[in-house]
Amino acid sequence: MQILSNILAFLFVAGVVIFVHELGHFLAGRALGVRVRTFSLGFGKKIWGFRRDGTDYRVAAIPLGGYVSFAGSDPSVQTDDPGAFVNHPRWQRIVIYLAGPAMNVVLSVTLVAFIFMVGIDLPNTRDVSTEVGTVLEDSAGAEAGLREGDLIRSIDGEEVEDWQAVSMAVLTSPEREMAVEVERGGDRLQLALTPREIPREELGDAGIYPAAPVRVYRLVEDSPAERAGLRFGDALISVDGRPVASPQSFQDLVGPRAGEEVLLELEREGQPLSVRVIPEDQDGRGIVGVIIAEFHFQRFGPLEAFAQSARYNWDITVQISEFVGKLFERRISAKSTLGGPIQIATYSGKAARRSFKDLVFFMALLSLNLCIFNMLPLPILDGGQILILLVESTLRRDLSLQVKERMIQVGLVAIVALMALALYFDLSKALPVVVGSP
């Protein structure tokens, strides 16, 4: 049943995101006078449609996005048609290529703004100070000598101003020693922190948390917490009446209770909630299967929601850029940054099962990622086509057809290789015993 819901959620999310992308190309092309041959909702066999002003509008059998076909888009075919794509100025063709990714940004900002108007629990580490609130026992942070109340001032010589910077540095440095400067009691101390690698994800974990509310960030599949109905964003208030002051205190309260029923007092979107759960025994300690982070319930009026949405989308874009940069620096593995259709479908299904609001939020993030991916300078993508047009504008002449064909072939091979690698990583995460390292 989960597989079916994953597939349906994936088709819905990917379909909307890809359709909006193609709609951007279509609207820009029509506005600039390019003749559109076909605008299709979906792929494959036509099941319904009509013609208007020379354009075939259709609904196709496979509901996975859509496509737009411009007249004269094949550079090998010479034509005098003023409505042909190749006969328009290069700047206009650049605008048409840019319009697709731009529409993905518009979609992401609009959807996130809508979610902010409704209200949602989200990590807000950008507005959280660098004060350490909790250091887990036997963690990398504890080994480095970090303590509760330490104020992290710099990592590897670079100043950090919020917990988002701390989190990004840790995530992108698995098994790599970092020089951390902290302020403790008015003194400056130099510590060496080596984040441990998170299994399967190949990201860093230091076992340190900021001084902020304790909330559920992720649920382990088929864990006691998931079966009991805990959700992303739930605030952990108490365990059997004893308050949860930190992630460490939650573990201390649950750890000795393996196999025993405990009462969790939660807060969900401002409402109190009681849940009973039986921790599973794992190496002699009770585990409920939650990963904890710091969240804030965020709700804004319309204007502020769009401003906060733009800020949030920009932060995500910067974080993606940092991950890609660390990937090329070989500080992190490609496995931690690449995700294919299986991973997208899995996340889509999980979001849909939580709520429609979570599914819409995931759609916004996928739309932003599609924009960034399409702007990569590979000839088969929008970014690559824009790069070719910029080169031609600089040279003031068209590149030869043979050069363009070779560039497209190279781009196609690169895209296929990326997709194959992403699919391999998807399988290695889903089936670690069969695929990937044991």
Side-chain angles (χ1 to χ4, degrees):
M1 191 63 182
Q2 280 194 359
I3 294 177
L4 178 60
S5 65
N6 288 351
I7 293 173
L8 292 176
F10 171 74
L11 290 176
F12 173 68
V13 169
V16 172
V17 168
I18 297 173
F19 176 76
V20 168
H21 179 92
E22 296 301 328
L23 181 63
H25 294 313
F26 169 79
L27 294 175
R30 288 296 297 267
L32 292 171
V34 178
R35 187 160 54 84
V36 182
R37 287 178 175 171
T38 306
F39 183 65
S40 177
L41 174 59
F43 294 89
K45 183 179 179 181
K46 177 180 176 180
I47 58 177
W48 181 84
F50 61 91
R51 291 189 65 84
R52 178 175 295 174
D53 299 329
T55 301
D56 179 20
Y57 297 89
R58 63 172 65 178
V59 176
I62 304 175
L64 188 60
Y67 67 92
V68 57
S69 173
F70 292 115
S73 56
D74 185 353
S76 64
V77 178
Q78 299 294 321
T79 176
D80 295 328
D81 181 3
F85 181 79
V86 294
N87 290 334
H88 278 69
R90 293 190 185 96
W91 72 266
Q92 291 187 358
R93 284 179 274 168
I94 290 175
V95 169
I96 293 171
Y97 282 124
L98 279 173
M103 280 292 284
N104 284 127
V105 173
V106 171
L107 176 64
S108 182
V109 171
T110 301
L111 291 180
V112 173
F114 169 75
I115 296 301
F116 279 164
M117 283 185 272
V118 175
I120 190 172
D121 277 308
L122 280 177
N124 191 25
T125 52
R126 179 173 178 176
D127 295 329
V128 175
S129 77
T130 61
E131 180 184 351
V132 178
T134 301
V135 182
L136 298 183
E137 293 181 6
D138 300 322
S139 66
E143 288 183 357
L146 284 164
R147 299 179 186 174
E148 181 179 338
D150 284 350
L151 198 63
I152 300 176
R153 290 299 189 183
S154 69
I155 298 178
D156 283 340
E158 296 185 10
E159 291 188 7
V160 289
E161 298 180 352
D162 51 44
W163 198 265
Q164 179 172 296
V166 175
S167 178
M168 181 61 65
V170 170
L171 283 172
T172 57
S173 302
E175 305 298 338
R176 190 185 72 84
E177 184 177 295
M178 303 188 301
V180 179
E181 182 183 46
V182 302
E183 183 177 327
R184 181 186 300 166
D187 297 325
R188 293 288 183 106
L189 304 175
Q190 299 291 334
L191 304 177
L193 172 64
T194 304
R196 295 172 184 169
E197 184 175 280
I198 301 173
R200 299 193 197 181
E201 302 294 335
E202 298 188 7
L203 295 171
D205 176 32
I208 58 176
Y209 299 88
V214 179
R215 294 180 183 266
V216 175
Y217 175 60
R218 188 183 303 171
L219 295 167
V220 177
E221 286 192 27
D222 198 32
S223 64
E226 185 179 62
R227 292 193 295 269
L230 271 72
R231 296 182 185 176
F232 168 89
D234 284 347
L236 303 172
I237 306 301
S238 68
V239 178
D240 284 338
R242 300 176 65 183
V244 176
S246 67
Q248 182 66 57
S249 71
F250 179 74
Q251 292 191 8
D252 291 342
L253 292 171
V254 172
R257 304 293 299 278
E260 304 175 23
E261 184 177 81
V262 298
L263 177 64
L264 302 183
E265 296 292 341
L266 313 173
E267 183 180 285
R268 181 177 295 166
E269 296 186 356
Q271 300 298 318
L273 181 67
S274 298
V275 173
R276 295 187 179 277
V277 61
I278 300 177
E280 292 179 345
D281 190 306
Q282 188 175 100
D283 298 327
R285 288 187 60 81
I287 300 295
V288 298
V290 295
I291 297 174
I292 297 171
E294 294 66 41
F295 293 82
H296 301 276
F297 185 71
Q298 300 180 59
R299 178 183 288 161
F300 308 101
L303 292 179
E304 181 67 12
F306 273 94
Q308 291 293 334
S309 175
R311 176 193 181 192
Y312 184 83
N313 276 271
W314 174 251
D315 284 346
I316 294 296
T317 302
V318 170
Q319 290 176 28
I320 293 173
S321 301
E322 289 182 10
F323 267 98
V324 173
K326 298 292 177 62
L327 176 63
F328 281 104
E329 294 173 9
R330 302 185 68 179
R331 289 178 56 172
I332 57 174
S333 165
K335 185 177 181 179
S336 64
T337 56
L338 286 177
I342 296 176
Q343 184 171 318
I344 295 173
T346 300
Y347 288 167
S348 299
K350 287 181 178 179
R353 288 188 289 273
R354 286 196 299 266
S355 69
F356 183 71
K357 179 172 65 176
D358 287 306
L359 183 63
V360 170
F361 192 79
F362 177 74
M363 184 190 299
L365 297 182
L366 182 63
S367 184
L368 182 64
N369 275 268
L370 181 63
C371 164
I372 295 171
F373 178 76
N374 263 282
M375 290 305 295
L376 293 176
L378 297 175
I380 200 170
L381 301 176
D382 294 329
Q385 295 297 325
I386 292 171
L387 178 62
I388 290 174
L389 289 169
L390 290 175
V391 170
E392 290 180 338
S393 297
T394 302
L395 297 176
R396 296 188 178 183
R397 63 177 177 83
D398 290 344
L399 297 176
S400 69
L401 184 59
Q402 291 77 13
V403 170
K404 290 183 180 179
E405 288 178 345
R406 294 294 179 270
M407 293 175 71
I408 290 175
Q409 288 170 358
V410 171
L412 181 60
V413 170
I415 292 296
V416 171
L418 278 174
M419 293 298 100
L421 191 61
L423 183 59
Y424 171 78
F425 289 150
D426 282 359
L427 292 173
S428 67
K429 293 172 185 177
L431 304 170
V433 176
V434 179
V435 182
S437 300

